[in-house]
Amino acid sequence: MLKIISVLILLFPTMVFGDCTCESKDTEHNKEAALKYKLGSIASILVAGAFGVSLPLLGKKIPTLRPENDIFFMIKAFAAGVILATGFIHILPDAFDNLTSPCLKENPWGKFPFTGFVAMLSAIGTLMVDSLATGYYQRSNIKSNQVTVHELETGDHVHGHAADHVHGHTHATQSHAHGSEELMSSELIRHRVISQVLELGILVHSVIIGISLGASQSPETIKPLMVALSFHQFFEGMGLGGCISQAKFKSRSAAIMAAFFSLTTQSGIAIGIGISTVYNESSPTALIVEGTFNAAAAGILIYMALVDLLAADFMNPRLQSNLRIQLGAYISLLLGTGCMSVIAKWA
């Protein structure tokens, strides 16, 4: 009995910690099959992302997709739901798994909630970038408007006093038009900042996810991840494309932003394929780096989805004054979060 008890005591720690091998498992997987799925992922994600981000940008040719239409609120709410679920359901849990892995030292990783801390800091950082960028654009716009007004007043004095009555009427008209232009300009600036900060957050998490997929050597892991990423990339692209459309960028700028979005995940996959021979996803360094970036990306996406996409649209007077659009947007939001959450069962 003493021998049996001694053996059980010696084996118990191994049984408890048997799930954490902290060693590479490359030999157990079919690398050739994995490479085929990776190349397929590059193609499918590229097509899905390019198609999704292009649809809202085609609003000039497709009236239904224009930001002025009611359906646009519902499409954007669905896309925002997908982005929100990506942050909460897909990326944040992975970050928790990475930074609480038994392969990491208990001190400090087991004694402080680094995942939530990094996500919180990234959300605050995104808020700061959002606010600073908006303030910068507004100050630049005010300066340019002041220069324009000064030029108009100078021109008025040159014309003399003979046309004072006409100029008075003109000034009144210009003041009204100037107020309308300021309101439109403020909204335009906000949309431009939102689209640029949103793309920044998307680029960060797309590269991290792409590297993770490219470095994986398990076909069983890559297949569902490929489907999930294609679905996610399509609707995330629609959300970004909608923001770009509302920002009214020039065609060239819009095309560059769309191209960056479409190619970022593929770049990450290519990097992952390149380092797959030396990459060990269970090494402490890989877990810390991947977990930190995942937590940061989750914080950015959650902030952008809630504050810049959903709050901006759901507080819009046009949506609040129409119960039918409100209900449609709520249903679309729940469908978006629901669809992306269900996919988490497989990827």
Side-chain angles (χ1 to χ4, degrees):
M1 286 294 294
L2 288 173
K3 289 181 179 179
I4 293 172
I5 293 171
S6 300
V7 170
L8 288 175
I9 291 173
L10 290 171
L11 290 177
F12 183 72
T14 306
M15 294 167 63
V16 172
F17 297 104
D19 290 336
C20 176
T21 60
C22 301
E23 294 178 359
S24 178
K25 299 180 181 180
D26 290 350
T27 55
E28 300 177 13
H29 304 305
N30 188 336
K31 292 185 178 180
E32 292 183 2
L35 182 59
K36 291 179 181 178
Y37 284 116
K38 291 173 190 177
L39 296 176
S41 298
I42 291 176
S44 65
I45 293 171
L46 175 63
V47 171
F51 186 59
V53 76
S54 299
L55 275 179
L57 299 179
L58 296 174
K60 294 179 180 178
K61 297 182 179 180
I62 306 174
T64 307
L65 299 175
R66 290 176 183 169
E68 297 81 16
N69 292 323
D70 295 344
I71 192 69
F72 188 81
F73 283 104
M74 300 174 196
I75 295 172
K76 202 173 169 187
F78 187 94
V82 170
I83 295 172
L84 187 63
T86 301
F88 272 120
I89 307 298
H90 289 263
I91 300 179
L92 199 58
D94 287 345
F96 273 110
D97 289 341
N98 293 141
L99 296 181
T100 58
S101 171
C103 299
L104 298 179
K105 293 180 180 179
E106 178 66 19
N107 187 18
W109 303 103
K111 295 185 177 181
F112 186 80
F114 282 99
T115 304
F117 182 68
V118 173
M120 177 186 69
L121 288 182
S122 70
I124 294 172
T126 308
L127 169 65
M128 292 178 178
V129 171
D130 203 355
S131 177
L132 288 171
T134 303
Y136 171 78
Y137 279 117
Q138 286 180 343
R139 288 191 297 270
S140 300
N141 186 61
I142 290 171
K143 287 180 180 178
S144 63
N145 285 339
Q146 286 175 345
V147 171
T148 304
V149 171
H150 177 70
E151 290 175 352
L152 287 172
E153 289 176 349
T154 304
D156 287 343
H157 287 298
V158 170
H159 282 87
H161 298 285
D164 281 346
H165 177 71
V166 176
H167 284 309
H169 178 72
T170 303
H171 276 304
T173 307
Q174 286 174 348
S175 298
H176 178 72
H178 184 62
S180 301
E181 285 176 3
E182 279 190 345
L183 180 61
M184 290 180 64
S185 180
S186 178
E187 292 180 357
L188 192 63
I189 287 170
R190 189 71 192 128
H191 287 307
R192 290 190 174 183
V193 172
I194 288 172
S195 60
Q196 290 172 346
V197 178
L198 177 61
E199 178 149 32
L200 177 64
I202 290 172
L203 294 182
V204 172
H205 92 267
S206 293
V207 171
I208 297 300
I209 292 175
I211 291 174
S212 179
L213 188 151
S216 176
Q217 298 294 350
S218 171
E220 290 75 20
T221 301
I222 297 171
K223 283 189 285 186
L225 191 57
M226 175 179 67
V227 177
L229 278 178
S230 298
F231 177 84
H232 166 261
Q233 200 80 349
F234 174 76
F235 286 104
E236 190 174 64
M238 288 192 70
L240 177 62
C243 291
I244 295 173
S245 178
Q246 286 181 309
K248 297 181 180 178
F249 284 107
K250 293 180 180 179
S251 298
R252 183 180 177 182
S253 299
I256 291 173
M257 293 181 72
F260 264 105
F261 167 78
S262 302
L263 297 173
T264 304
T265 305
Q266 287 72 22
S267 302
I269 295 174
I271 294 170
I273 293 173
I275 65 172
S276 60
T277 54
V278 295
Y279 178 79
N280 178 11
E281 60 186 11
S282 297
S283 71
T285 303
L287 289 169
I288 292 170
V289 172
E290 188 176 339
T292 301
F293 276 104
N294 275 335
I300 293 171
L301 291 183
I302 290 168
Y303 171 86
M304 294 304 300
L306 288 174
V307 178
D308 282 340
L309 294 179
L310 293 174
D313 282 350
F314 279 54
M315 296 301 167
N316 190 311
R318 183 174 151 207
L319 184 142
Q320 291 186 334
S321 62
N322 191 321
L323 183 60
R324 182 178 61 85
I325 301 177
Q326 266 189 317
L327 293 176
Y330 294 153
I331 293 170
S332 297
L333 172 61
L334 293 174
L335 285 174
T337 54
C339 290
M340 202 64 201
S341 299
V342 169
I343 290 176
K345 184 178 180 182
W346 299 281

